Amino acid sequence: MPLDYEYYDPRMLDLILPNSELMRVHTGMLWAEGPVYFPAGDYFLWSDIPNNRLYQWPTDSSVRVFSYDSGYTNGNTRDGMGRLVSCRHLSRSVTRTEPDGTTTTLAALHDNRKLNSPNDVVTLRDGSIWFTDPTYGILTDYEGKKADPEQDFCGVYCIAQDKAEPQAVVTELEKPNGLAFSKDESVLYVADSARSHNPNGHHHVFACPVDGHQLGKPAALFEIEHGVPDGMRIDEHNHIWCSSARGVEIFDGQGVHIGCINIPEPVANLEFGGRKGNRLLITASQSVYCLYVAVKGVRAMEKD
C-alpha cells in the first residue's frame, strides 16, 4: 500500500522515502509487540502477547512461529553476544535465551518481592540491561496472569554486569513502558503510558540524563495526543521514532514534532533492521508492517 505520512517540519522529508511501499508482513495476531532484529541471521522476531507466541521473519522468507510457549513475552532485545533478552509477563521476569535454547533468569525480584510485569528492555554497549516494570501483565489474565502487585511503584530498572539484583533507577513515573537510549547513550527516553487506564494519566515521553548506571530526574520531553506512547527507536541522527494510536510519530532530540507515518492500525512498537539498517518493522495491533526509510537505526547494523 502507498506510504501515508504527514510532516510538520521539512526535516521529515529527509527521513522517509515517499515512494516506499508499506507492506503488511503478517496479520491475525491478538496484540503484536516487542520486535527485535538479529543482523547475524537477517531476521526479525516479535511477540504476540495474548497468544503466548514469538514469531520469526527471515526477510527473504515467510513468517513462522518461533515459540508456541513464550511465557507471554512482551518486549525483546538482543545483548552484545547476540542472545535474545525478553520480558516475560507470566513469570514476571527478564530472561536471556542461551545458544543452546535454554533460558537464564536475569531478574525476577526486587527487595525480595516479585516484579510487577517487565514490559520493555534495552541494552547498553557496556553490557548493562535496562527494563521497565508497569503492571499491565498482571491486571488481567489476557496478557499473563492476574495478580496483585508486590512492588509499591512501577519502575525502571538497571541490571549492571556486576550486580545480581536489578537496581531501581526511576520510581516516580506512573506506567513506564517503552524505552530507548540516545545515540551517545547519555539520555534514556522513557514512555509513560498511564493514560491507557487513567484519563488523567501521563501520555508523555520523558528524558532522563544517564550517569553511569544511575539516572537523573525524568523531564517531560513531548506528549502523544493520539493514544499513548509505547515502543521507541532512535535513528542515526538521534531522532526519536515513537508509536502512537495513529502510527509512528517522529521527534527530534529536543522534542520537536517532525512528522508522522500513518499506519492502518494502532502501533505498539517498532524496530530498525535489514541488511542496510533502513528497514522499519512496525508491530501494530493484529498486524506487522514494514517499509524502507531514508535513515538507519542506531544499533541496527551493529554486529554481535
Side-chain angles (χ1 to χ4, degrees), residues 211-287:
D211 182 10
H213 292 148
Q214 299 297 320
L215 297 179
K217 185 176 177 59
L221 184 64
F222 60 83
E223 62 183 40
I224 294 295
E225 283 303 325
H226 299 269
V228 295
D230 195 336
M232 294 179 288
R233 292 295 186 271
I234 309 300
D235 71 23
E236 60 187 319
H237 304 299
N238 212 46
H239 299 112
I240 305 163
W241 298 57
C242 181
S243 64
S244 78
R246 67 173 177 169
V248 177
E249 314 279 353
I250 304 173
F251 297 80
D252 69 13
Q254 288 70 52
V256 176
H257 201 181
I258 296 174
C260 177
I261 300 171
N262 294 315
I263 304 297
E265 303 173 60
V267 173
N269 216 324
L270 56 145
E271 170 75 321
F272 286 98
R275 294 294 187 187
K276 297 181 179 180
N278 65 340
R279 200 167 196 181
L280 188 68
L281 189 88
I282 302 162
T283 53
S285 302
Q286 285 73 53
S287 303

Side-chain angles (χ1 to χ4, degrees), residues 129-145:
I129 297 170
W130 304 65
F131 67 94
T132 56
D133 188 44
T135 55
Y136 290 123
I138 58 174
L139 293 177
T140 69
D141 291 328
Y142 188 62
E143 294 188 5
K145 185 177 181 180

Side-chain angles (χ1 to χ4, degrees), residues 72-197:
Y72 292 86
T73 288
N74 188 335
N76 298 285
T77 192
R78 70 179 197 273
D79 69 7
M81 296 179 64
R83 295 170 294 188
L84 175 66
V85 178
S86 302
C87 293
R88 297 191 174 199
H89 283 178
L90 191 62
S91 57
R92 298 162 71 167
S93 66
V94 179
T95 66
R96 183 178 64 223
T97 301
E98 307 298 343
D100 64 1
T102 61
T103 58
T104 299
T105 298
L106 303 176
L109 302 173
H110 175 68
D111 286 344
N112 294 315
R113 293 176 291 177
K114 289 181 180 181
L115 296 170
N116 296 319
S117 58
N119 185 286
D120 203 0
V121 59
V122 293
T123 60
L124 275 184
R125 294 184 182 93
D126 68 4
S128 57
I129 297 170
W130 304 65
F131 67 94
T132 56
D133 188 44
T135 55
Y136 290 123
I138 58 174
L139 293 177
T140 69
D141 291 328
Y142 188 62
E143 294 188 5
K145 185 177 181 180
K146 183 179 173 68
D148 293 327
E150 296 185 15
Q151 302 294 329
D152 57 8
F153 62 92
C154 293
V156 179
Y157 292 86
C158 173
I159 308 171
Q161 287 182 308
D162 59 344
K163 295 180 181 179
E165 180 169 308
Q167 304 299 304
V169 291
V170 174
T171 60
E172 58 264 53
L173 297 182
E174 295 178 74
K175 286 287 189 291
N177 198 323
L179 70 175
F181 280 96
S182 62
K183 182 178 180 179
D184 63 3
E185 299 186 341
S186 66
V187 179
L188 177 64
Y189 302 110
V190 183
D192 189 331
S193 56
R195 194 168 72 170
S196 65
H197 288 71

Side-chain angles (χ1 to χ4, degrees), residues 25-30 43-58 61-71 73 84:
V25 174
H26 193 64
T27 192
M29 294 159 290
L30 290 179
Y43 65 85
F44 289 92
L45 289 181
W46 68 83
S47 307
D48 180 357
I49 307 173
N51 271 325
N52 194 25
R53 291 180 179 179
L54 288 177
Y55 286 90
Q56 182 187 49
W57 180 43
S61 186
S62 57
V63 174
R64 58 192 179 216
V65 176
F66 182 79
S67 172
Y68 285 95
D69 185 9
S70 70
T73 288
L84 175 66

